[in-house]
Amino acid sequence: QKEVEQDPGPLSVPEGAIVSLNCTYSNSAFQYFMWYRQYSRKGPELLMYTYSSGNKEDGRFTAQVDKSSKYISLFIRDSQPSDSATYLCAMRTQGAQKLVFGQGTRLTINP
Amino acid sequence: EAQVTQNPRYLITVTGKKLTVTCSQNMNHEYMSWYRQDPGLGLRQIYYSMNVEVTDKGDVPEGYKVSRKEKRNFPLILESPSPNQTSLYFCASSGELGDRGNNEQYFGPGTRLTVT
């Protein structure tokens, strides 16, 4: 079993839809949770970061962490074609430098 | 501009022919890492370095070597490439990942390697 599981998709939705991307994990020691966005032919870029449980909002993006269920989510409101990319969840334990990544979900927003 | 650069961006080679992929960062970061990205498997860490002359294996180190003689550079060496090393490779760097902030790893643009 992988430490971090993420549905690879692909996921295709119409412009304006609410998108939900999810990851589950098995290591209860994970404390730091991140979402990276990767455009085609580019390296991943940090989109959002959350420490421990709770929600964090940044514009159209909301990250949620439910440590009791070992489940994290990224919501995109009013999705735009420019949001089309692969989204990778990543997480790490306290004091660790190493990030553990999910497989990535390929998302397409159709105009 | 803060960035991680990799060269070459694309490389086609033959089995057994030694190659080096260079990686350089201009942010004075201590931590550098190499990943490979394969469909359905996500990003897997090959090797990492906590600082100059300090390197260690990641999850998939077989067939790869690294060195860290200068803080800014972290080359990836394939002594005898094989077709199963065909992949997309990323170099990344970060400062010390603190408890409250700076969780960002900066990634290079990637190197697509094909071994025939």
Side-chain angles (χ1 to χ4, degrees):
Chain A
Q1 182 190 4
K2 290 190 173 79
E3 251 187 313
V4 179
E5 296 275 4
Q6 183 177 6
D7 186 340
L11 182 61
S12 182
V13 301
E15 183 176 356
I18 297 174
V19 176
S20 172
L21 304 168
N22 311 294
C23 289
T24 58
Y25 62 93
S26 57
N27 186 350
S28 58
F30 285 138
Q31 295 272 26
Y32 302 89
F33 304 92
M34 285 135 279
W35 287 95
Y36 280 78
R37 180 173 60 193
Q38 184 179 15
Y39 290 116
S40 181
R41 298 188 182 86
K42 301 280 189 183
E45 293 178 309
L46 183 65
L47 183 63
M48 295 195 72
Y49 146 70
T50 310
Y51 170 69
S52 194
S53 282
N55 293 1
K56 187 171 186 178
E57 189 173 319
D58 184 2
R60 297 183 294 107
F61 298 87
T62 300
Q64 284 186 354
V65 175
D66 181 349
K67 291 192 71 181
S68 62
S69 301
K70 298 192 182 70
Y71 188 87
I72 70 170
S73 299
L74 177 71
F75 297 96
I76 307 174
R77 291 185 301 281
D78 188 25
S79 55
Q80 305 293 310
S82 59
D83 296 328
S84 297
T86 296
Y87 290 80
L88 302 113
C89 63
M91 43 200 83
R92 69 174 179 94
T93 59
Q94 186 146 346
Q97 294 281 115
K98 179 185 174 182
L99 295 180
V100 181
F101 285 87
Q103 297 95 312
T105 300
R106 187 172 176 184
L107 172 67
T108 301
I109 309 297
N110 301 302
Chain B
E1 180 190 355
Q3 60 182 355
V4 178
T5 57
Q6 292 178 231
N7 282 291
R9 293 290 312 279
Y10 301 91
L11 180 59
I12 300 174
T13 190
V14 296
T15 299
K17 186 176 181 181
K18 181 180 178 180
L19 66 92
T20 299
V21 183
T22 64
C23 173
S24 183
Q25 50 94 4
N26 62 0
M27 295 167 280
N28 201 36
H29 284 161
E30 289 83 12
Y31 185 80
M32 297 186 74
S33 185
W34 275 103
Y35 295 89
R36 59 179 289 173
Q37 187 175 37
D38 302 287
L41 298 176
L43 281 163
R44 294 180 292 167
Q45 190 182 57
I46 303 169
Y47 267 94
Y48 65 95
S49 170
M50 301 292 284
N51 214 322
V52 175
E53 302 291 4
V54 181
T55 64
D56 208 346
K57 296 177 180 178
D59 299 315
V60 288
E62 294 76 21
Y64 304 95
K65 284 176 57 177
V66 293
S67 69
R68 187 93 180 271
K69 298 191 187 316
E70 303 167 285
K71 197 172 187 179
R72 62 183 293 128
N73 296 323
F74 190 45
L76 178 70
I77 303 156
L78 285 71
E79 294 270 4
S80 182
S82 61
N84 65 12
Q85 292 178 298
T86 293
S87 188
L88 181 58
Y89 291 86
F90 288 101
C91 180
S93 75
S94 63
E96 185 174 350
L97 298 177
D99 286 345
R100 282 288 175 255
N102 190 17
N103 279 275
E104 181 164 9
Q105 283 201 14
Y106 293 82
F107 284 81
T111 295
R112 185 165 292 282
L113 172 65
T114 302
V115 184
T116 61

mmCIF file of all heavy atoms in Angstrom, chain A residues 39-67:
data_model
loop_
_atom_site.group_PDB
_atom_site.id
_atom_site.type_symbol
_atom_site.label_atom_id
_atom_site.label_comp_id
_atom_site.label_asym_id
_atom_site.label_seq_id
_atom_site.Cartn_x
_atom_site.Cartn_y
_atom_site.Cartn_z
ATOM 1 N N TYR A 39 1.871 22.373 -14.504
ATOM 2 C CA TYR A 39 1.418 22.560 -15.872
ATOM 3 C C TYR A 39 2.250 21.670 -16.788
ATOM 4 O O TYR A 39 3.363 21.257 -16.452
ATOM 5 C CB TYR A 39 1.559 24.018 -16.297
ATOM 6 C CG TYR A 39 0.575 24.963 -15.618
ATOM 7 C CD1 TYR A 39 1.007 25.973 -14.763
ATOM 8 C CD2 TYR A 39 -0.794 24.835 -15.848
ATOM 9 C CE1 TYR A 39 0.107 26.823 -14.161
ATOM 10 C CE2 TYR A 39 -1.703 25.681 -15.236
ATOM 11 C CZ TYR A 39 -1.247 26.672 -14.393
ATOM 12 O OH TYR A 39 -2.137 27.513 -13.784
ATOM 13 N N SER A 40 1.687 21.411 -17.971
ATOM 14 C CA SER A 40 2.354 20.537 -18.929
ATOM 15 C C SER A 40 3.745 21.068 -19.255
ATOM 16 O O SER A 40 3.926 22.264 -19.485
ATOM 17 C CB SER A 40 1.501 20.464 -20.194
ATOM 18 O OG SER A 40 2.080 19.616 -21.133
ATOM 19 N N ARG A 41 4.723 20.173 -19.228
ATOM 20 C CA ARG A 41 6.116 20.489 -19.565
ATOM 21 C C ARG A 41 6.762 21.469 -18.585
ATOM 22 O O ARG A 41 7.713 22.184 -18.940
ATOM 23 C CB ARG A 41 6.244 21.025 -20.990
ATOM 24 C CG ARG A 41 5.809 20.045 -22.040
ATOM 25 C CD ARG A 41 6.146 20.545 -23.434
ATOM 26 N NE ARG A 41 5.676 19.619 -24.451
ATOM 27 C CZ ARG A 41 4.466 19.628 -24.957
ATOM 28 N NH1 ARG A 41 3.600 20.514 -24.553
ATOM 29 N NH2 ARG A 41 4.130 18.744 -25.880
ATOM 30 N N LYS A 42 6.230 21.512 -17.362
ATOM 31 C CA LYS A 42 6.801 22.371 -16.334
ATOM 32 C C LYS A 42 7.035 21.555 -15.062
ATOM 33 O O LYS A 42 6.497 20.458 -14.896
ATOM 34 C CB LYS A 42 5.851 23.523 -15.997
ATOM 35 C CG LYS A 42 5.505 24.408 -17.155
ATOM 36 C CD LYS A 42 6.606 25.401 -17.436
ATOM 37 C CE LYS A 42 6.157 26.426 -18.464
ATOM 38 N NZ LYS A 42 7.243 27.351 -18.803
ATOM 39 N N GLY A 43 7.833 22.126 -14.148
ATOM 40 C CA GLY A 43 7.987 21.514 -12.844
ATOM 41 C C GLY A 43 6.824 21.889 -11.935
ATOM 42 O O GLY A 43 6.144 22.884 -12.155
ATOM 43 N N PRO A 44 6.591 21.092 -10.885
ATOM 44 C CA PRO A 44 5.527 21.423 -9.928
ATOM 45 C C PRO A 44 5.816 22.730 -9.198
ATOM 46 O O PRO A 44 6.968 23.060 -8.928
ATOM 47 C CB PRO A 44 5.567 20.241 -8.944
ATOM 48 C CG PRO A 44 6.250 19.132 -9.672
ATOM 49 C CD PRO A 44 7.231 19.801 -10.574
ATOM 50 N N GLU A 45 4.732 23.442 -8.862
ATOM 51 C CA GLU A 45 4.844 24.683 -8.079
ATOM 52 C C GLU A 45 3.900 24.587 -6.897
ATOM 53 O O GLU A 45 2.765 24.109 -7.043
ATOM 54 C CB GLU A 45 4.456 25.885 -8.930
ATOM 55 C CG GLU A 45 5.404 26.185 -10.064
ATOM 56 C CD GLU A 45 4.926 27.365 -10.886
ATOM 57 O OE1 GLU A 45 3.757 27.354 -11.304
ATOM 58 O OE2 GLU A 45 5.718 28.291 -11.113
ATOM 59 N N LEU A 46 4.355 25.066 -5.742
ATOM 60 C CA LEU A 46 3.519 25.017 -4.546
ATOM 61 C C LEU A 46 2.298 25.906 -4.713
ATOM 62 O O LEU A 46 2.409 27.084 -5.045
ATOM 63 C CB LEU A 46 4.319 25.454 -3.331
ATOM 64 C CG LEU A 46 3.578 25.388 -1.995
ATOM 65 C CD1 LEU A 46 3.249 23.942 -1.640
ATOM 66 C CD2 LEU A 46 4.392 26.033 -0.888
ATOM 67 N N LEU A 47 1.132 25.317 -4.458
ATOM 68 C CA LEU A 47 -0.132 26.051 -4.572
ATOM 69 C C LEU A 47 -0.640 26.445 -3.182
ATOM 70 O O LEU A 47 -0.981 27.577 -2.928
ATOM 71 C CB LEU A 47 -1.152 25.187 -5.301
ATOM 72 C CG LEU A 47 -2.516 25.776 -5.583
ATOM 73 C CD1 LEU A 47 -2.403 26.974 -6.501
ATOM 74 C CD2 LEU A 47 -3.426 24.719 -6.213
ATOM 75 N N MET A 48 -0.688 25.450 -2.278
ATOM 76 C CA MET A 48 -1.189 25.720 -0.939
ATOM 77 C C MET A 48 -0.499 24.816 0.064
ATOM 78 O O MET A 48 -0.085 23.716 -0.267
ATOM 79 C CB MET A 48 -2.700 25.486 -0.859
ATOM 80 C CG MET A 48 -3.508 26.440 -1.711
ATOM 81 S SD MET A 48 -5.242 26.430 -1.277
ATOM 82 C CE MET A 48 -5.227 27.274 0.287
ATOM 83 N N TYR A 49 -0.430 25.307 1.290
ATOM 84 C CA TYR A 49 0.221 24.573 2.369
ATOM 85 C C TYR A 49 -0.635 24.695 3.624
ATOM 86 O O TYR A 49 -1.126 25.773 3.944
ATOM 87 C CB TYR A 49 1.618 25.147 2.589
ATOM 88 C CG TYR A 49 2.096 25.129 4.013
ATOM 89 C CD1 TYR A 49 2.412 23.930 4.632
ATOM 90 C CD2 TYR A 49 2.248 26.313 4.731
ATOM 91 C CE1 TYR A 49 2.853 23.924 5.940
ATOM 92 C CE2 TYR A 49 2.679 26.304 6.036
ATOM 93 C CZ TYR A 49 2.992 25.103 6.645
ATOM 94 O OH TYR A 49 3.422 25.087 7.928
ATOM 95 N N THR A 50 -0.833 23.577 4.325
ATOM 96 C CA THR A 50 -1.615 23.554 5.552
ATOM 97 C C THR A 50 -0.868 22.776 6.615
ATOM 98 O O THR A 50 -0.298 21.725 6.323
ATOM 99 C CB THR A 50 -2.985 22.871 5.316
ATOM 100 O OG1 THR A 50 -3.606 23.440 4.178
ATOM 101 C CG2 THR A 50 -3.899 23.043 6.509
ATOM 102 N N TYR A 51 -0.896 23.313 7.818
ATOM 103 C CA TYR A 51 -0.280 22.614 8.930
ATOM 104 C C TYR A 51 -1.361 21.969 9.782
ATOM 105 O O TYR A 51 -2.338 22.632 10.151
ATOM 106 C CB TYR A 51 0.543 23.582 9.787
ATOM 107 C CG TYR A 51 1.015 22.993 11.097
ATOM 108 C CD1 TYR A 51 1.982 21.994 11.108
ATOM 109 C CD2 TYR A 51 0.487 23.414 12.312
ATOM 110 C CE1 TYR A 51 2.417 21.441 12.293
ATOM 111 C CE2 TYR A 51 0.920 22.862 13.507
ATOM 112 C CZ TYR A 51 1.886 21.875 13.493
ATOM 113 O OH TYR A 51 2.315 21.330 14.669
ATOM 114 N N SER A 52 -1.242 20.681 10.015
ATOM 115 C CA SER A 52 -2.162 19.899 10.833
ATOM 116 C C SER A 52 -3.578 19.964 10.255
ATOM 117 O O SER A 52 -3.766 20.055 9.058
ATOM 118 C CB SER A 52 -2.100 20.390 12.279
ATOM 119 O OG SER A 52 -2.721 19.445 13.129
ATOM 120 N N SER A 53 -4.600 19.920 11.091
ATOM 121 C CA SER A 53 -5.971 19.852 10.596
ATOM 122 C C SER A 53 -6.539 21.236 10.335
ATOM 123 O O SER A 53 -6.009 22.241 10.785
ATOM 124 C CB SER A 53 -6.854 19.149 11.629
ATOM 125 O OG SER A 53 -6.669 17.763 11.582
ATOM 126 N N GLY A 54 -7.648 21.268 9.601
ATOM 127 C CA GLY A 54 -8.344 22.519 9.388
ATOM 128 C C GLY A 54 -8.435 22.895 7.932
ATOM 129 O O GLY A 54 -8.108 22.113 7.045
ATOM 130 N N ASN A 55 -8.915 24.096 7.712
ATOM 131 C CA ASN A 55 -9.111 24.625 6.372
ATOM 132 C C ASN A 55 -8.206 25.812 6.130
ATOM 133 O O ASN A 55 -7.826 26.520 7.063
ATOM 134 C CB ASN A 55 -10.563 25.094 6.201
ATOM 135 C CG ASN A 55 -11.553 23.966 6.229
ATOM 136 O OD1 ASN A 55 -11.187 22.819 6.397
ATOM 137 N ND2 ASN A 55 -12.814 24.297 6.110
ATOM 138 N N LYS A 56 -7.883 26.004 4.876
ATOM 139 C CA LYS A 56 -7.151 27.208 4.479
ATOM 140 C C LYS A 56 -7.688 27.652 3.134
ATOM 141 O O LYS A 56 -7.845 26.831 2.226
ATOM 142 C CB LYS A 56 -5.656 26.918 4.379
ATOM 143 C CG LYS A 56 -4.808 28.143 4.135
ATOM 144 C CD LYS A 56 -3.351 27.797 4.277
ATOM 145 C CE LYS A 56 -2.470 29.019 4.173
ATOM 146 N NZ LYS A 56 -1.043 28.678 4.351
ATOM 147 N N GLU A 57 -7.955 28.940 3.020
ATOM 148 C CA GLU A 57 -8.537 29.467 1.793
ATOM 149 C C GLU A 57 -7.596 30.484 1.173
ATOM 150 O O GLU A 57 -6.982 31.307 1.858
ATOM 151 C CB GLU A 57 -9.887 30.121 2.110
ATOM 152 C CG GLU A 57 -10.688 30.506 0.893
ATOM 153 C CD GLU A 57 -12.095 30.984 1.265
ATOM 154 O OE1 GLU A 57 -12.706 30.369 2.159
ATOM 155 O OE2 GLU A 57 -12.554 31.973 0.671
ATOM 156 N N ASP A 58 -7.501 30.421 -0.154
ATOM 157 C CA ASP A 58 -6.689 31.397 -0.897
ATOM 158 C C ASP A 58 -7.386 31.654 -2.210
ATOM 159 O O ASP A 58 -7.271 30.868 -3.162
ATOM 160 C CB ASP A 58 -5.279 30.845 -1.122
ATOM 161 C CG ASP A 58 -4.368 31.862 -1.808
ATOM 162 O OD1 ASP A 58 -4.816 32.999 -2.081
ATOM 163 O OD2 ASP A 58 -3.199 31.523 -2.069
ATOM 164 N N GLY A 59 -8.151 32.729 -2.258
ATOM 165 C CA GLY A 59 -8.890 33.039 -3.476
ATOM 166 C C GLY A 59 -9.913 31.965 -3.785
ATOM 167 O O GLY A 59 -10.759 31.633 -2.956
ATOM 168 N N ARG A 60 -9.801 31.374 -4.969
ATOM 169 C CA ARG A 60 -10.760 30.334 -5.382
ATOM 170 C C ARG A 60 -10.392 28.950 -4.848
ATOM 171 O O ARG A 60 -11.110 27.992 -5.092
ATOM 172 C CB ARG A 60 -10.821 30.301 -6.911
ATOM 173 C CG ARG A 60 -11.338 31.580 -7.543
ATOM 174 C CD ARG A 60 -11.449 31.468 -9.065
ATOM 175 N NE ARG A 60 -10.163 31.317 -9.720
ATOM 176 C CZ ARG A 60 -9.726 30.180 -10.273
ATOM 177 N NH1 ARG A 60 -10.481 29.095 -10.262
ATOM 178 N NH2 ARG A 60 -8.545 30.146 -10.876
ATOM 179 N N PHE A 61 -9.297 28.860 -4.157
ATOM 180 C CA PHE A 61 -8.786 27.565 -3.692
ATOM 181 C C PHE A 61 -8.980 27.406 -2.185
ATOM 182 O O PHE A 61 -8.716 28.330 -1.422
ATOM 183 C CB PHE A 61 -7.303 27.424 -4.031
ATOM 184 C CG PHE A 61 -7.010 27.463 -5.502
ATOM 185 C CD1 PHE A 61 -6.801 28.661 -6.164
ATOM 186 C CD2 PHE A 61 -6.966 26.285 -6.241
ATOM 187 C CE1 PHE A 61 -6.542 28.694 -7.521
ATOM 188 C CE2 PHE A 61 -6.699 26.301 -7.596
ATOM 189 C CZ PHE A 61 -6.486 27.509 -8.238
ATOM 190 N N THR A 62 -9.439 26.221 -1.778
ATOM 191 C CA THR A 62 -9.572 25.886 -0.366
ATOM 192 C C THR A 62 -8.955 24.524 -0.128
ATOM 193 O O THR A 62 -9.276 23.563 -0.833
ATOM 194 C CB THR A 62 -11.043 25.845 0.075
ATOM 195 O OG1 THR A 62 -11.636 27.121 -0.134
ATOM 196 C CG2 THR A 62 -11.153 25.483 1.554
ATOM 197 N N ALA A 63 -8.054 24.459 0.853
ATOM 198 C CA ALA A 63 -7.448 23.190 1.231
ATOM 199 C C ALA A 63 -8.035 22.759 2.568
ATOM 200 O O ALA A 63 -8.183 23.569 3.480
ATOM 201 C CB ALA A 63 -5.935 23.324 1.334
ATOM 202 N N GLN A 64 -8.390 21.480 2.665
ATOM 203 C CA GLN A 64 -8.937 20.926 3.898
ATOM 204 C C GLN A 64 -8.109 19.726 4.327
ATOM 205 O O GLN A 64 -7.684 18.929 3.487
ATOM 206 C CB GLN A 64 -10.384 20.467 3.690
ATOM 207 C CG GLN A 64 -11.395 21.561 3.625
ATOM 208 C CD GLN A 64 -12.819 21.022 3.572
ATOM 209 O OE1 GLN A 64 -13.034 19.811 3.473
ATOM 210 N NE2 GLN A 64 -13.786 21.919 3.621
ATOM 211 N N VAL A 65 -7.911 19.609 5.624
ATOM 212 C CA VAL A 65 -7.207 18.453 6.171
ATOM 213 C C VAL A 65 -8.072 17.850 7.273
ATOM 214 O O VAL A 65 -8.486 18.545 8.190
ATOM 215 C CB VAL A 65 -5.839 18.839 6.756
ATOM 216 C CG1 VAL A 65 -5.187 17.627 7.432
ATOM 217 C CG2 VAL A 65 -4.932 19.395 5.675
ATOM 218 N N ASP A 66 -8.336 16.567 7.177
ATOM 219 C CA ASP A 66 -9.056 15.828 8.210
ATOM 220 C C ASP A 66 -8.117 14.729 8.703
ATOM 221 O O ASP A 66 -8.049 13.641 8.123
ATOM 222 C CB ASP A 66 -10.344 15.243 7.642
ATOM 223 C CG ASP A 66 -11.153 14.486 8.695
ATOM 224 O OD1 ASP A 66 -10.634 14.237 9.803
ATOM 225 O OD2 ASP A 66 -12.310 14.149 8.417
ATOM 226 N N LYS A 67 -7.403 15.000 9.770
ATOM 227 C CA LYS A 67 -6.408 14.037 10.246
ATOM 228 C C LYS A 67 -7.063 12.801 10.844
ATOM 229 O O LYS A 67 -6.487 11.715 10.807
ATOM 230 C CB LYS A 67 -5.475 14.694 11.269
ATOM 231 C CG LYS A 67 -4.544 15.738 10.661
ATOM 232 C CD LYS A 67 -3.458 16.143 11.625
ATOM 233 C CE LYS A 67 -2.478 15.017 11.809
ATOM 234 N NZ LYS A 67 -1.414 15.376 12.773
#
